[in-house]
Amino acid sequence: MLCLESTRIGFDAGERILQHISWAIDLLNFDEATRKKEFQREFGIYWRRSCAVKPTLTAYSLIRPTGPSREVFYFFDWSNATITFADDLRLLSAWLRNKGNNPGQKEIKKTWLTWLDQPPYPANFPQIGKDILEDIPDAVLAKTLKPGKRLPVILGTETETGPVIVGSMVDSAPKKEVIRGFRPNRVPIERITHLMAYRPIRRFPVQRADGAYVHGRGHNEDYEKLATKTVAIVGCGALGASIARLLAQAGVSSFILIDHDKLETQNTSRHLLGHRFVGQYKSDALAAMLLEDFPHLQDITAHKYSCEHLLSSCMEKLSSCDLILSAGIDFVGDSALNRWRLASKESPPHLCTWTEPFALAGHAIALFGLDDLMDAFDIDGKPRIELTQWNNDKQILITEAGCGNSFQPHGSVDLQRTITLASKLALDMLTGTLSTPTRRTWQGDLSQVLHLGGKPSLDFTDSNVEKTHSWPPSPPNESQGSKT
């Protein structure tokens, strides 16, 4: 198989064929130095192609992708033929636990990472046990080799396009043959290595699952900052849950999730959580989902309280967060959080976000230090910065059959622009891109506001735009926003 460049589909077919033939001839006639360089540059691909046609082993690496050669930990899950490697025992245990697997300490074993000075090319790939074992110190072999047991060994190297990690399984002779003439626990290590030295090895690909690779394949400059951050999400409804997931996907590794509501069937059309979580507290279910989907996350704690009824121990944890994000909670909760933050000597920044009726407008406000959220509200607790006005509640609320509850009839798609608005503002705050109070708004479909009987503010003159405003705010008919 030859991997060639592409030609433009609109070109003449004959010319395209001739071009591909020319490239193929060039590739097949590389000189030795160029060929070796290409083999080394694409080391990971050639290693993968040298493995079995249908690999029977799935391998993940949480290892720091750099030298030197060293001892590492691994866990072999025999139930689904999966092996996971890590530098740190605590990290490996947490990752496995997040995936729903909680092995005992005896089930996690040690092996060796051989860090190669340069990538080998296929002719030099290890073929037999000796090729792998000779690079492992005798003291390590004495601890890791057991009669009749295979030994997975991981190899890493730096290539032109970044670090690559691969694996080899060193097979063992049958246990009866290994221990013949010896007590099972007294077999000399030399005998074990001798019987493994000339047995064929099985090469296997390794998927990197460390945070730096998951979040940007090692090229995300913000990851190192975000991986150390803790974000408190107050309000894990449709808005807050989706923001939490986006922040986790961006690289934030620790969360405190706060919400006192349980998920109900009618929530699932807008909420990130699906039917399997119905009846569970939103904060608990969201924590479980995030840990299962992103097992490299460091810490997530969930609290089943409303914001104004949080325990003092939880408030202490909030003080140590890097950002508090309140999402779609009521005025009582936001004002209580604002009072606590202003009374604290060293409170974290606060991001407050919510949507207006039908999610046709959205707000995200970044507050630092003594910036007061109440500057956006009047004495009755109503926002002074609304982008839409409605004559009565019948326009914007529907009474739920049989129970007297009311709801706004917008869907998940309608929420997405506000979710993105707030998530981007949160990342700007966490990475230090933004350090001054800022208000951003999303303005949706102006014609839809009018169709539903709403009245847009004087600021609401364009559809589907994001605007940035100064803080503290002026009334809507006086403020000027810059479109983005």
Side-chain angles (χ1 to χ4, degrees):
M1 178 182 289
L2 302 181
C3 184
L4 304 175
E5 297 183 40
S6 61
T7 53
R8 298 186 65 177
I9 196 168
F11 285 2
D12 176 78
E15 291 181 359
R16 295 178 69 200
I17 291 170
L18 290 174
Q19 179 64 78
H20 281 293
I21 292 174
S22 175
W23 282 334
I25 292 172
D26 290 341
L27 180 61
L28 293 170
N29 284 283
F30 277 169
D31 58 46
E32 182 65 23
T34 304
R35 186 181 303 115
K36 181 177 179 181
K37 183 178 180 181
E38 279 297 295
F39 276 136
Q40 291 180 315
R41 185 176 68 87
E42 297 287 357
F43 164 62
I45 294 296
Y46 287 106
W47 184 278
R48 183 182 295 272
R49 290 194 174 277
S50 75
C51 301
V53 176
K54 293 183 178 180
T56 57
L57 182 65
T58 300
Y60 298 106
S61 169
L62 309 176
I63 286 172
R64 187 176 68 258
T66 184
S69 299
R70 58 192 181 272
E71 282 187 286
V72 295
F73 296 89
Y74 76 94
F75 171 70
F76 203 134
D77 185 354
W78 295 96
S79 63
N80 56 21
T82 300
I83 188 168
T84 308
F85 300 90
D87 281 306
D88 182 79
L89 177 61
R90 180 191 59 80
L91 174 64
L92 178 56
S93 298
W95 198 85
L96 294 169
R97 185 169 59 251
N98 292 344
K99 284 178 58 67
N101 198 331
N102 196 13
Q105 294 296 322
K106 291 184 179 180
E107 296 179 83
I108 296 179
K109 305 182 185 302
K110 286 187 176 182
T111 186
W112 186 255
L113 163 68
T114 297
W115 195 261
L116 304 170
D117 293 335
Q118 60 180 351
Y121 44 100
N124 293 337
F125 285 176
Q127 305 292 329
I128 57 177
K130 180 175 179 291
D131 299 335
I132 295 293
L133 298 176
E134 64 184 6
D135 293 324
I136 305 177
D138 292 340
V140 175
L141 290 175
K143 292 187 294 183
T144 56
L145 291 184
K146 303 297 179 184
K149 299 292 185 181
R150 294 174 293 176
L151 179 69
V153 177
I154 199 164
L155 297 86
T157 187
E158 188 71 36
T159 73
E160 184 180 314
T161 54
V164 173
I165 292 176
V166 298
S168 290
M169 185 69 72
V170 184
D171 202 3
S172 172
K175 186 175 180 179
K176 288 183 178 179
E177 180 181 347
V178 178
I179 65 175
R180 186 178 300 149
F182 297 91
R183 294 179 181 178
N185 59 347
R186 297 289 182 134
V187 180
I189 192 64
E190 294 79 12
R191 177 173 176 78
I192 300 176
T193 55
H194 173 73
L195 292 175
M196 297 176 78
Y198 295 97
R199 299 181 70 86
I201 66 166
R202 180 155 55 99
R203 292 184 291 273
F204 57 88
V206 177
Q207 300 180 55
R208 282 183 58 185
D210 56 285
Y213 195 75
V214 170
H215 300 286
R217 308 190 188 193
H219 295 279
N220 182 356
E221 295 180 357
D222 289 332
Y223 172 70
E224 294 300 330
K225 296 178 184 177
L226 295 174
T228 63
K229 303 298 184 182
T230 299
V231 176
I233 306 288
V234 183
C236 298
L239 187 60
S242 293
I243 293 171
R245 185 179 182 88
L246 286 178
L247 295 182
Q249 289 178 302
V252 176
S253 61
S254 299
F255 292 89
I256 297 175
L257 306 176
I258 300 169
D259 198 301
H260 67 290
D261 282 340
K262 291 183 178 181
L263 188 75
E264 299 181 351
T265 54
Q266 64 270 26
N267 300 142
T268 57
S269 66
R270 292 201 299 227
H271 206 283
L272 182 71
L273 300 170
H275 185 80
R276 72 183 186 276
F277 293 107
V278 167
Q280 299 183 33
Y281 283 100
K282 293 176 182 177
S283 55
D284 286 341
L286 180 59
M289 173 184 272
L290 292 177
L291 288 173
E292 181 181 0
D293 291 348
F294 310 104
H296 61 280
L297 294 182
Q298 294 182 11
D299 182 46
I300 300 182
T301 57
H303 298 273
K304 300 179 283 289
Y305 300 98
S306 59
C307 179
E308 60 271 26
H309 295 124
L310 287 175
L311 301 176
S312 58
S313 58
C314 180
M315 300 305 289
E316 290 178 6
K317 292 181 179 179
L318 291 186
S319 299
S320 62
C321 288
D322 298 285
L323 175 67
I324 299 175
L325 192 154
S326 58
I329 66 176
D330 57 21
F331 176 76
V332 173
D334 264 327
S335 60
L337 185 60
N338 187 66
R339 286 195 303 272
W340 167 79
R341 192 179 63 82
L342 294 178
S344 302
K345 293 182 179 180
E346 295 183 3
S347 59
H350 177 202
L351 192 161
C352 180
T353 183
W354 72 94
T355 60
E356 295 189 22
F358 303 101
L360 288 167
H363 299 258
I365 302 174
L367 302 169
F368 300 85
L370 297 178
D371 298 323
D372 191 349
L373 178 63
M374 294 302 106
D375 286 340
F377 296 85
D378 62 21
I379 58 175
D380 295 318
K382 295 182 178 180
R384 297 193 297 109
I385 53 176
E386 288 182 318
L387 294 169
T388 59
Q389 289 84 42
W390 306 85
N391 291 330
N392 54 65
D393 288 344
K394 291 183 179 179
Q395 286 182 284
I396 59 177
L397 296 175
I398 295 177
T399 301
E400 189 175 342
C403 67
N405 287 336
S406 57
F407 67 97
Q408 292 184 15
H410 62 265
S412 176
V413 173
D414 303 312
L415 283 173
Q416 296 309 306
R417 295 301 189 117
T418 302
I419 290 168
T420 302
L421 176 84
S423 300
K424 183 62 172 67
L425 183 57
L427 292 176
D428 288 344
M429 298 170 75
L430 290 168
T431 58
T433 304
L434 179 73
S435 58
T436 56
T438 301
R439 179 168 67 97
R440 294 178 185 171
T441 56
W442 163 252
Q443 298 175 186
D445 190 339
L446 180 58
S447 65
Q448 188 70 1
V449 175
L450 298 173
H451 171 73
L452 294 170
K455 179 183 178 182
S457 71
L458 296 181
D459 267 354
F460 201 154
T461 56
D462 301 297
S463 293
N464 302 318
V465 295
E466 179 184 317
K467 292 186 176 181
T468 299
H469 311 260
S470 60
W471 185 269
S474 302
N477 59 343
E478 298 178 11
S479 63
Q480 298 294 322
S482 61
K483 286 187 289 185
T484 56

